[in-house]
Amino acid sequence: MATRAPLRALWTRAEARRIYDLPFADLMFEAQTVHRRNFDPNRVQMSRLLSIKTGGCPEDCGYCSQSARMPGEKLKASKLMEVERVIDEAKKAKAGGATRYCMGAAWRSPKDRDMDMVVAMVEGVKGLGLETCMTLGMLSPDQAFRLKEAGLDYYNHNLDTSERYYSEIITTRSFADRLETLSNVRDAGMKVCAGGILGMGETVEDRVDMLVTLANLDEAPESVPINMLIPIPGTQLEGAERIDSLDFVRTIALARIMMPQSHVRLSAGRTEMSDETQALCFLAGANSIFVGETLLTADNPGEDHDASLFRRLGVEPEALDGRP
Ligand code: SAM
Ligand code: DTB
Ligand code: SF4
């Protein structure tokens, strides 16, 4: 007789919204309780990013400095970086305490002719004892299998926002395309890294809906990056109104409660955040950051600032497999 998978409770929008709207102290208490049940609350995972191919992207994501379609002055497009250089940069990241190395390319999807180099990068970085992550745009099932075979641990592909708001931000690929890539990544046996951006003019409903979609995937993503929009001059969203810090913290808390076993990453936008806001994000259950002076193209607080913040908060970097 066929065995059935256990029934899984799906999140409703109404329940998620109820949690988002709790009095702040109650929301934080619930998020901390869930966090402590699943993680050491004083450990934060450190990932490091590298742009292996910058600019000249054919997609029209309204927030991105790398789109060839942005209204303002464009970044100069680079070629795919040499494999040796990627590995040298990964060595530096490891020496700085990062446990995961994430390589990003400004592509709609990888071209078959690029796959050999990308595979060599994964093998080289993996060989250093780092976890590997890539974000290269949409993946076919074959490409996903090839990356998995090469040793890729995580693939990042964000939903970015709710299905409803999505077409205001991106028109060259659909929300359904994004879900398909996530399912190809999962089917290939890789871990999923998927999240979004706050502060793009979305409503609270959009934020909640994006998290409901992520939490209700067949398996929740192991890694959930929550980015605060970095308003980049020349992009469609350069003038977007900043999100209120406490709303940002609320969204992190909701992600923690809805995806209790995932690493929630306080991602882009930390240079514009006070140390106190970042501390609230950690209290709300964020337990991963990007370290280093740069993200892909934009600034990030450097090692010194983060080391001092961690010291003041009594936070330690999470070791590989650092779950309690
Ligand atoms: N080209 C690939 C793709 O989009 O699938 C990978 C790189 S892309 C830059 C990765 C993610 O970075 C985006 O999905 C978005 O969530 C985030 N991101 C890009 N620009 C950002 C910005 N200005 N502020 C905040 N997050 C940003
Ligand atoms: C994610 O969610 N945020 C990272 C990573 N995944 C690839 C990228 C942030 C990019 C910020 C803008 C820039 O550096 O250009
Ligand atoms: Fe291209 Fe990715 Fe930027 Fe979109 S987010 S324009 S796909 S690099």
Side-chain angles (χ1 to χ4, degrees):
M1 204 173 66
T3 47
R4 279 216 212 141
L7 280 180
R8 207 167 53 93
L10 292 180
W11 283 93
T12 64
R13 291 155 145 189
E15 176 59 3
R17 179 64 195 252
R18 185 192 67 75
I19 297 172
Y20 184 98
D21 285 334
L22 281 172
F24 193 73
D26 293 344
L27 175 62
M28 293 296 273
F29 181 73
E30 184 156 345
Q32 253 299 298
T33 306
V34 171
H35 192 45
R36 282 171 183 267
R37 235 183 258 143
N38 293 283
F39 290 98
D40 177 340
N42 303 310
R43 297 237 172 223
V44 170
Q45 190 274 334
M46 304 201 314
S47 292
R48 175 78 207 224
L49 270 169
L50 176 70
S51 180
I52 57 171
K53 195 272 167 208
T54 308
C57 183
E59 304 294 282
D60 70 351
C61 313
Y63 46 76
C64 188
S65 64
Q66 306 199 65
S67 168
R69 300 174 184 235
M70 63 191 250
E73 201 182 322
K74 288 147 198 60
L75 273 181
K76 199 168 159 276
S78 76
K79 288 209 302 205
L80 183 59
M81 199 179 267
E82 293 298 329
V83 177
E84 287 69 36
R85 177 138 176 244
V86 173
I87 294 168
D88 281 349
E89 294 296 327
K91 283 183 190 156
K92 290 186 219 157
K94 188 178 178 192
T99 54
R100 190 177 311 161
Y101 203 62
C102 180
M103 295 156 269
W107 288 330
R108 173 173 168 80
S109 54
K111 300 261 185 317
D112 285 338
R113 62 166 188 268
D114 296 316
M115 285 300 285
D116 287 347
M117 267 174 85
V118 163
V119 159
M121 290 174 195
V122 174
E123 290 168 347
V125 174
K126 184 87 179 159
L128 301 174
L130 286 163
E131 286 184 318
T132 50
C133 176
M134 282 192 157
T135 179
L136 314 172
M138 296 188 281
L139 284 191
S140 68
D142 284 354
Q143 290 173 326
F145 274 107
R146 219 178 142 204
L147 290 171
K148 166 69 186 170
E149 291 280 286
L152 191 62
D153 297 303
Y154 289 82
Y155 195 79
N156 165 254
H157 198 64
N158 290 339
L159 295 183
D160 280 345
T161 189
S162 69
E163 184 167 13
R164 181 184 35 242
Y165 195 54
Y166 184 89
S167 59
E168 302 286 321
I169 308 294
I170 301 140
T171 69
T172 48
R173 67 163 76 129
S174 68
F175 196 78
D177 289 334
R178 300 223 174 211
L179 292 173
E180 192 178 320
T181 289
L182 292 182
S183 127
N184 293 343
V185 169
R186 194 50 101 193
D187 289 348
M190 283 184 282
K191 293 182 195 160
V192 171
C193 172
I197 310 181
L198 310 182
M200 299 196 294
E202 74 285 344
T203 61
V204 170
E205 219 181 355
D206 292 316
R207 287 173 206 146
V208 167
D209 284 2
M210 177 181 84
L211 294 183
V212 168
T213 306
L214 290 170
N216 286 348
L217 291 173
D218 286 342
E219 271 181 85
E222 283 78 3
S223 173
V224 181
I226 305 291
N227 297 278
M228 188 172 82
L229 177 74
I230 302 179
I232 296 179
T235 59
Q236 177 201 325
L237 290 171
E238 70 171 319
E241 195 184 329
R242 256 184 84 94
I243 177 174
D244 173 71
S245 306
L246 295 180
D247 285 341
F248 189 87
V249 176
R250 278 182 181 278
T251 312
I252 297 262
L254 183 60
R256 164 52 62 228
I257 292 165
M258 291 171 73
M259 292 172 274
Q261 297 191 331
S262 306
H263 275 81
V264 175
R265 183 173 308 116
L266 171 57
S267 298
R270 291 196 302 117
T271 47
E272 293 303 311
M273 263 176 229
S274 67
D275 288 348
E276 290 76 10
T277 299
Q278 293 187 59
L280 279 178
C281 289
F282 296 135
L283 260 179
N287 60 348
S288 172
I289 56 168
F290 284 122
V291 292
E293 307 276 338
T294 28
L295 293 162
L296 290 171
T297 68
D299 291 344
N300 194 47
E303 211 177 298
D304 292 351
H305 190 101
D306 285 339
S308 133
L309 179 61
F310 275 22
R311 208 175 319 108
R312 287 160 67 213
L313 298 175
V315 164
E316 301 269 356
E318 185 188 275
L320 273 180
D321 296 326
R323 294 200 174 169

